[in-house]
């Protein structure tokens, strides 16, 4: 006010120069506190002081020029556009500068950094604010919430103890009126929420006989859990011949010299002929036979496993007697496999056990299990790896065991279904596996990743696979009533010219075999028939009614020109010539 009073202007005299008047009445426009004097209005009158305190505002024309902002400015009093902010300081815009070379831009005025906002927390606070009138202050750390951390109706927030709209709703739900008779805390009197709608007369109850059956089932389940591990059955053996050793001290493992057959494998096998009649029946199994295996190299002994849980060793030549019975599985035996020398063999059964037996003495040497059902078992055919074997399991894995330690040393886990077959190829460096997942996979030994995977949309499951005598082909029994031939070297491609049809095997794992000279392919079928095809023309040459039930396996003797051994689910093993 003192400044205003001191600036009062009295009447000026006529002697005042025009320049003085102009200086008093023309304040500086750039001075915001400048005093504006009006012309004298009369004696005793004073001029009115006007203070210009408005901030400097850019004129529209200045903003739209697109001139660059001064980089030294600390404060901008308007919202400049992107073009204004990034205009060149001097001269025209560089015509060779692309959009990518300029500053990044994701909005009209430039680039805004993304900020993380939890959608649920935001919606929670928005609804709380719209319902109760308060919300958490976003500038305050959520871990340090106090009474002053809210914005809006702070008193309401303190009254509700800062509850959100969701927390308040949950508390209301808890206070709902409980339905009478639905309180589970009173166990004795609890009849369930539907109790008031049920009349005891309408309740269905089992009859006395049905109740008896139910009690028996319950008792069995309690006695033996569903996944309880079964104890291994006691192993024993029965020798069916009078003397185990002959006058020279040789057991039945010794290859007979008086059968008139050259047991050494010849480079060029003799020409084979079609078998025409049955010459012998081995009967001793009380249930269906699952698999048969000939003694390695010589083929003078035959090993069979059956659904009667027994394994039997038979004589192929001379009297064709049953030498020994191996008893040690509590459920059906699925597969068997000799080692290279034939002195030991493995058996796989549905009791989840794999057992190693001594062929000569009948003693069970060791047992292996991983609590899954083994579907197939194979020794590694290499002489230096006879202590290792692999088994295809029901849990989609191929498990490799070491006989010496009795432990699992490798797992091949890539199949999507139970593994049905394992076949060694390529001089035993690789093996092929088939599975219920309708695929064929090729593995390098001891490498748990398949390097070849074959699965076509038209392919079916192949539960039986046999390698040809020359090692070049794999014969796969397909579930669409065909035998498919895959190359067993390098590319493992399907040979579309070699497809054998004419038999019905859908649902059965009927084992296929080749004649030693590769002239014929033999297989059983679901009708109990033995089917023989010509290898070159794939023509079905011969069909023999071999068994009353399924003919599950057919083996062509490796040293005989026309002898085929078949087995079936009627419990019999037959020799054809």
């Amino acid at each position: 006010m003192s400044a205003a009073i001191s600036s009062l202007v009295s009447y000026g005299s006529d002697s005042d120069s025009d320049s003085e008047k102009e200086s008093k009445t023309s304040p500086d426009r750039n001075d915001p506190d400048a005093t504006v004097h009006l012309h004298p209005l009369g004696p005793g009158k004073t001029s009115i002081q006007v203070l210009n305190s408005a901030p400097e505002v850019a004129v529209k024309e200045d903003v739209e020029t697109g001139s660059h902002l001064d980089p030294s400015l600390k404060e901008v009093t308007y919202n400049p556009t992107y073009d204004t902010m990034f205009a060149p300081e001097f001269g025209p815009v560089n015509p060779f500068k692309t959009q990518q070379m300029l500053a990044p831009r994701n909005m009209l005025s430039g680039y805004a950094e993304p900020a993380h906002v939890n959608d649920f927390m935001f919606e929670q606070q928005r609804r709380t604010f719209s319902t109760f009138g308060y919300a958490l202050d976003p500038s305050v750390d959520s871990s340090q919430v106090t009474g002053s951390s809210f914005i809006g109706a702070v008193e309401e927030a303190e009254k509700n103890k800062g509850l959100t709209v969701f927390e308040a709703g949950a508390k209301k739900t808890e206070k709902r009126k409980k339905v009478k008779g639905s309180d589970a805390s009173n166990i004795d009197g609890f009849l369930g929420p539907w109790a008031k709608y049920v009349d005891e007369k309408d309740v269905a109850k089992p009859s006395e006989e049905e109740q008896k059956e139910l009690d028996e089932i319950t008792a069995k389940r309690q006695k033996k859990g569903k996944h309880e591990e079964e104890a291994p059955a006691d192993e024993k053996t029965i020798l069916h011949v009078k003397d185990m050793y002959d006058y020279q001290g040789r057991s039945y493992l010794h290859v007979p010299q008086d059968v008139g057959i050259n047991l050494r494998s010849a480079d060029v096998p003799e020409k084979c002929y079609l078998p025409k009649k049955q010459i012998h029946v081995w009967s001793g199994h009380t249930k269906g036979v699952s698999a048969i295996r000939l003694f390695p190299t010589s083929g003078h002994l035959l090993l069979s496993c059956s659904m009667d849980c027994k394994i039997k060793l038979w004589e192929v030549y001379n009297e064709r007697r049953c030498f020994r019975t191996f008893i040690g599985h509590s459920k059906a035996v699925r597969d068997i496999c000799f080692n290279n020398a034939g002195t030991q063999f493995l058996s796989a059964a549905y009791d989840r056990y794999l057992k190693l037996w001594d062929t000569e003495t009948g003693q069970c040497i060791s047992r292996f299990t991983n609590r899954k059902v083994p579907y197939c078992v194979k020794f590694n055919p290499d002489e230096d790896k006879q202590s290792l074997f692999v088994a295809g399991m029901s849990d989609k894995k191929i498990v490799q065991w070491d006989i010496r330690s009795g432990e699992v040393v490798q797992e091949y886990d890539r199949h999507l279904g139970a593994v049905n077959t394992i076949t060694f190829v390529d001089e035993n460096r690789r093996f092929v596996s088939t599975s219920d997942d309708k695929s064929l996979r090729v593995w390098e030994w001891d490498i748990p990743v398949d390097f070849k995977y074959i699965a076509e949309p038209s392919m079916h499951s192949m539960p039986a696979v046999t390698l040809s005598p020359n090692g070049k082909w794999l014969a796969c029994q397909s579930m669409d009533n065909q035998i498919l031939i895959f190359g067993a070297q390098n590319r493992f491609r399907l040979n579309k010219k070699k497809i054998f049809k004419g038999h019905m095997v859908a649902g059965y794992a009927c084992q296929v075999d080749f004649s030693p000279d590769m002239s014929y392919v033999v297989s059983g079928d679901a009708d109990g028939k033995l089917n023989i095809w010509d290898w070159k023309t794939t023509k079905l040459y011969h069909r023999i009614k071999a068994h009353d039930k399924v003919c599950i396996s057919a083996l062509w003797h490796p040293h005989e020109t026309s002898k085929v051994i078949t087995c079936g689910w009627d419990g019999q093993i037959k020799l054809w010539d």
Side-chain angles (χ1 to χ4, degrees), residues 247-453:
Y247 67 98
Q248 287 186 332
R250 300 175 300 188
S251 72
Y252 47 69
L253 295 189
H254 177 72
V255 181
Q257 304 297 314
D258 57 346
V259 293
I261 299 294
N262 181 15
L263 298 179
R264 288 178 296 177
S265 56
D267 292 336
V268 181
E270 295 180 34
K271 179 172 173 57
C272 293
Y273 301 94
L274 295 176
K276 294 183 178 178
K277 63 179 181 179
Q278 171 188 313
I279 60 172
H280 186 72
V281 178
W282 287 284
S283 56
H285 286 295
T286 56
K287 290 185 180 178
V289 180
S290 307
I292 50 175
R293 299 285 182 268
L294 283 165
F295 196 82
T297 310
S298 65
H300 74 286
L301 295 175
L302 179 70
L303 190 68
S304 65
C305 63
S306 169
M307 298 175 195
D308 61 5
C309 313
K310 294 175 185 174
I311 303 162
K312 288 182 180 285
L313 189 66
W314 312 85
E315 189 179 24
V316 174
Y317 296 106
N318 299 325
E319 299 174 36
R320 301 193 173 102
R321 298 166 292 175
C322 178
F323 279 135
R324 190 181 284 279
T325 300
F326 305 83
I327 304 168
H329 287 287
S330 60
K331 290 188 178 177
V333 185
R334 165 99 183 196
D335 196 18
I336 43 178
C337 179
F338 276 113
N339 65 356
N340 285 1
T343 54
Q344 297 175 349
F345 68 88
L346 284 160
S347 62
Y350 284 101
D351 60 2
R352 296 186 169 87
Y353 276 92
L354 293 138
K355 295 194 176 184
L356 179 68
W357 304 83
D358 188 294
T359 314
E360 186 175 350
T361 64
Q363 177 191 358
C364 180
I365 301 167
S366 53
R367 7 182 138 73
F368 313 89
T369 182
N370 68 344
R371 300 184 181 85
K372 304 295 177 187
V373 177
Y375 282 174
C376 58
V377 62
K378 277 286 192 314
F379 270 104
N380 187 312
D382 277 347
E383 289 296 337
D384 59 340
K385 296 188 180 73
Q386 285 287 284
S387 58
L388 300 171
F389 71 90
V390 285
M393 313 302 289
S394 60
D395 65 342
K396 314 171 190 174
K397 293 180 183 178
I398 300 170
V399 184
Q400 180 179 321
W401 266 282
D402 191 328
I403 290 170
R404 296 163 295 188
S405 63
E407 294 180 355
V408 175
V409 293
Q410 186 64 274
E411 278 189 353
Y412 305 84
D413 184 12
R414 303 278 284 184
H415 275 294
L416 306 174
V419 181
N420 292 321
T421 66
I422 296 171
T423 311
F424 282 87
V425 296
D426 194 15
E427 297 180 354
N428 309 322
R429 290 191 292 264
R430 300 169 176 170
F431 63 90
V432 177
S433 63
T434 61
S435 164
D436 285 345
D437 62 6
K438 303 179 183 178
S439 72
L440 184 147
R441 293 174 193 258
V442 189
W443 314 76
E444 296 277 356
W445 176 257
D446 227 5
I447 298 174
V449 180
D450 52 315
F451 79 91
K452 185 79 175 178
Y453 170 65

Side-chain angles (χ1 to χ4, degrees), residues 117-126 164 166:
V117 180
N118 188 308
D119 292 338
F120 174 76
M121 290 298 295
F122 180 84
E123 187 64 16
Q124 183 188 53
Q125 295 302 320
R126 186 191 69 76
T164 63
F166 296 111

